[in-house]
């Protein structure tokens, strides 16, 4: 992440009150004087100055500390905000993921603005797909936020709060810019500074109601929020649970991942697979709106061949841990051609190109098994293709796999195409269905 020091200096000029109707004028009329225009009244519902808002709601925000049990010290920090008098608070899943995955090694604490020692907090429920969690401390709270029941208008002035870089509670002004278009996972665009440590904090209106949860940043005032309706749904579910219940959070995460991949599979199989032309081949194009596609052909006069790249990816994923991401769809096509290389030299080039390892979904040995692969020669609409399909299993979440499909046309003499598909977090059956559908997008242009 990009690192910035947050400094918010906001103010509001006092409004000039218009004179009351019927009040006597204190200015003598002049024969040729042009009457001064009456000052415009202030806009209705103008939010208070930032310092007033901060003083009113500061105790509703807390710092989350993840404590490593053996050392007894913190391993990471984030933010949370209270949403119930019973001590319920909302934060990001990625802030508390270590507690979900390794409860024997990590625990959570809340540091309150009211002072005193950190308070133990326990996890109640999570929404891993939308990066949310509900935590609770046993002590009641006097002051908490209300979750807004609708999205603000485009361009609305908003305020993000959190604990950036352990500097203390901060408030930052920004602008609401609506939902990210064609996003795989719902996100709101907030034009304001959200920095490490502010994750899980609230973004709110000038009236102090929450409209989103801080989740990510790209720097340069590009912040992202989880929509408030996702937080409201999760909180409603958490409040229905027995106060002394011990939730099976790993099973909750697994069930949510299974549901998510089923939704993606059905969405992709129901969509027509467009074809993109690369040389003398058709390849799968932008399959679904959440995919972002890019292409390029490097030009080097010293190289006796050209390689055109066309790639599409969801550009978003689901955070499971600092070393494991999932919920990914991506593919890459490489079309090589040469008018100068003979068939033998081009074959060597093409073999080297198709032997390159494709990108895989980020994961560690603790998270997944090794890939197990199978290869076969297939005929796709008259185009002979060598295909290799590889799967690796998730160790903590049985039934989920990453898939890598690699395929190359076999008729290459002076032109050839190589393609790879990467899927993260699908059942084996759904991954194979999508791989077969993907291969159907390969064909000759003639």
């Amino acid at each position: 992440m990009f690192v910035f020091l947050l400094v918010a200096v906001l103010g509001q000029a006092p409004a000039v009150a218009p004179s009351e109707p019927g009040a006597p004028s204190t200015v003598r009329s002049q024969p040729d004087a042009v009457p001064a225009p009456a000052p415009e009244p202030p806009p209705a519902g103008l939010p208070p100055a930032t310092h007033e808002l901060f003083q009113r709601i500061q105790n509703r925000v807390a710092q989350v500390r993840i404590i490593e049990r053996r050392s007894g010290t913190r391993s990471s920090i984030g933010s949370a905000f209270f949403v119930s008098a019973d001590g319920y608070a909302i934060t990001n899943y990625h802030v508390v993921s270590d507690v979900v995955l390794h409860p024997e090694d990590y625990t959570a604490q809340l540091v309150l603005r009211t002072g005193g020692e950190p308070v133990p907090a326990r996890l109640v429920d999570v929404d891993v797909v939308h990066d949310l969690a509900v935590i609770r401390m046993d002590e009641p709270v006097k002051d908490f936020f209300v979750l807004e029941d609708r999205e603000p208008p485009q361009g609305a002035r908003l305020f993000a709060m959190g604990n950036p870089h352990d500097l203390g509670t901060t408030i930052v002004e920004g602008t609401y810019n609506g939902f990210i278009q064609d996003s795989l996972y719902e996100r709101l665009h907030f034009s304001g500074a959200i920095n490490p440590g502010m994750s899980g904090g609230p973004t709110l209106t000038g009236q102090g109601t929450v409209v989103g949860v801080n989740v990510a940043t790209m720097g340069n005032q590009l912040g992202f929020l989880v929509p408030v309706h996702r937080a409201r749904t999760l909180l409603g579910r958490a409040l229905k649970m027995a106060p002394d219940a011990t939730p099976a959070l790993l099973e909750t995460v697994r069930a949510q991942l299974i549901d998510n991949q089923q939704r993606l599979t059905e969405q992709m199989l129901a969509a027509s697979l467009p074809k993109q032309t690369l040389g003398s081949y058709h390849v799968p194009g932008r399959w679904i709106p959440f995919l972002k596609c890019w292409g390029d052909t490097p030009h080097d006069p010293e190289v006796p061949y050209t390689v055109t790249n066309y790639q599409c990816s969801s550009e978003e994923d689901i955070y499971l841990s600092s070393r494991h991401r999932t919920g990914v769809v991506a593919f890459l096509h490489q079309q090589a051609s040469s008018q100068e290389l003979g068939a033998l030299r081009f074959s060597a080039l093409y073999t080297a190109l198709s032997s390159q390892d494709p990108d895989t979904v980020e994961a560690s040995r603790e998270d997944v098994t090794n890939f197990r692969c199978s290869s076969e020669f297939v005929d796709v609409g008259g185009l002979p293709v060598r295909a290799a399909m590889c799967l690796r299993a998730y160790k903590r979440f049985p039934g989920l796999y990453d898939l890598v499909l690699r395929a190359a046309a076999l008729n290459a003499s002076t032109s050839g195409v190589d393609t790879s598909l990467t899927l993260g977090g699908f059942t084996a059956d759904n991954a194979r269905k999508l791989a077969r559908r993907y291969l159907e997008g390969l064909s000759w242009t003639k």
Side-chain angles (χ1 to χ4, degrees), residues 173-195:
E173 182 182 2
T175 306
Y176 174 78
N177 279 298
F179 283 86
I180 304 297
Q181 293 184 355
D182 297 330
S183 177
L184 175 54
Y185 305 110
E186 279 187 334
R187 292 288 186 267
L188 302 177
H189 177 195
F190 172 72
S191 296
I194 296 177
N195 289 308

Side-chain angles (χ1 to χ4, degrees), residues 269-282:
L269 291 179
S272 60
L273 182 58
K275 294 189 176 183
Q276 179 74 23
T277 301
L278 286 183
S280 57
Y281 301 94
H282 287 311

Side-chain angles (χ1 to χ4, degrees), residues 78-320:
S79 300
F81 57 98
F82 293 108
V83 288
S84 162
D86 295 324
Y88 288 87
I90 288 176
T91 186
N92 289 140
Y93 168 87
H94 77 256
V95 171
V96 297
S97 62
D98 283 339
V99 183
V100 176
L101 300 177
H102 303 284
E104 70 283 1
D105 295 328
Y106 297 92
T107 187
Q109 295 178 345
L110 288 172
V111 180
L112 309 181
R113 287 279 301 177
T114 53
E117 293 296 317
V119 180
R122 56 188 176 86
L123 268 66
V124 180
D125 205 352
V126 298
D127 178 351
V128 68
V129 174
H130 299 100
D131 203 348
L132 291 173
V134 173
I135 58 179
R136 185 185 184 188
M137 66 178 191
D138 291 333
E139 299 180 11
V141 295
K142 296 180 180 180
D143 201 12
F144 56 91
F145 283 107
V146 173
L147 301 181
E148 184 59 79
D149 59 0
R150 60 184 180 274
E151 309 301 334
Q154 182 91 12
R157 180 185 180 194
L158 299 179
F159 303 87
M161 295 186 69
N163 292 269
H165 300 288
D166 203 21
L167 297 175
T169 305
T170 298
I171 186 167
V172 178
E173 182 182 2
T175 306
Y176 174 78
N177 279 298
F179 283 86
I180 304 297
Q181 293 184 355
D182 297 330
S183 177
L184 175 54
Y185 305 110
E186 279 187 334
R187 292 288 186 267
L188 302 177
H189 177 195
F190 172 72
S191 296
I194 296 177
N195 289 308
M198 294 181 71
S199 292
T203 292
L204 46 130
T205 66
Q207 288 69 44
T209 57
V210 176
V211 297
V213 183
N214 307 336
V215 70
T217 182
M218 292 180 65
N220 298 318
Q221 307 291 308
L222 287 173
F224 301 98
L225 316 174
V226 181
V228 69
H229 73 91
R230 297 293 180 185
R232 193 185 313 111
T233 298
L234 180 61
L235 176 62
R237 193 171 70 210
L239 291 175
K240 294 178 182 178
M241 300 174 65
D244 56 350
T246 303
L249 292 177
L250 278 180
E251 182 54 36
T252 298
V253 170
R254 177 183 178 275
Q256 292 172 357
L257 295 177
I258 291 286
D259 289 345
N260 181 68
Q261 64 85 37
Q262 185 63 35
R263 174 182 64 86
L264 293 182
T265 300
E266 293 174 359
Q267 184 179 357
M268 294 175 70
L269 291 179
S272 60
L273 182 58
K275 294 189 176 183
Q276 179 74 23
T277 301
L278 286 183
S280 57
Y281 301 94
H282 287 311
V283 294
R286 190 184 182 193
W287 192 344
I288 209 78
F290 63 69
L291 293 172
K292 308 297 189 296
C293 300
W294 308 89
D296 186 36
T297 304
H299 297 280
D300 186 344
E302 302 297 323
V303 176
Y305 59 86
T306 61
V307 178
T308 298
N309 297 303
Y310 178 89
Q311 58 184 337
C312 297
S313 72
S314 54
E315 295 189 351
E316 301 168 79
D317 56 30
I318 296 173
Y319 182 105
L320 290 178

Side-chain angles (χ1 to χ4, degrees), residues 334 336 341 343-357 386 406 408-410 412-413 415-418:
Q334 299 180 94
L341 297 177
L344 188 61
R345 294 175 63 196
F346 182 82
S347 176
L349 166 70
Y350 188 57
T351 299
L353 184 69
S354 60
S355 298
Q356 296 175 356
D357 291 333
R386 182 183 69 250
R406 195 71 184 266
L410 293 177
S413 57
S415 177
V417 67
D418 174 86

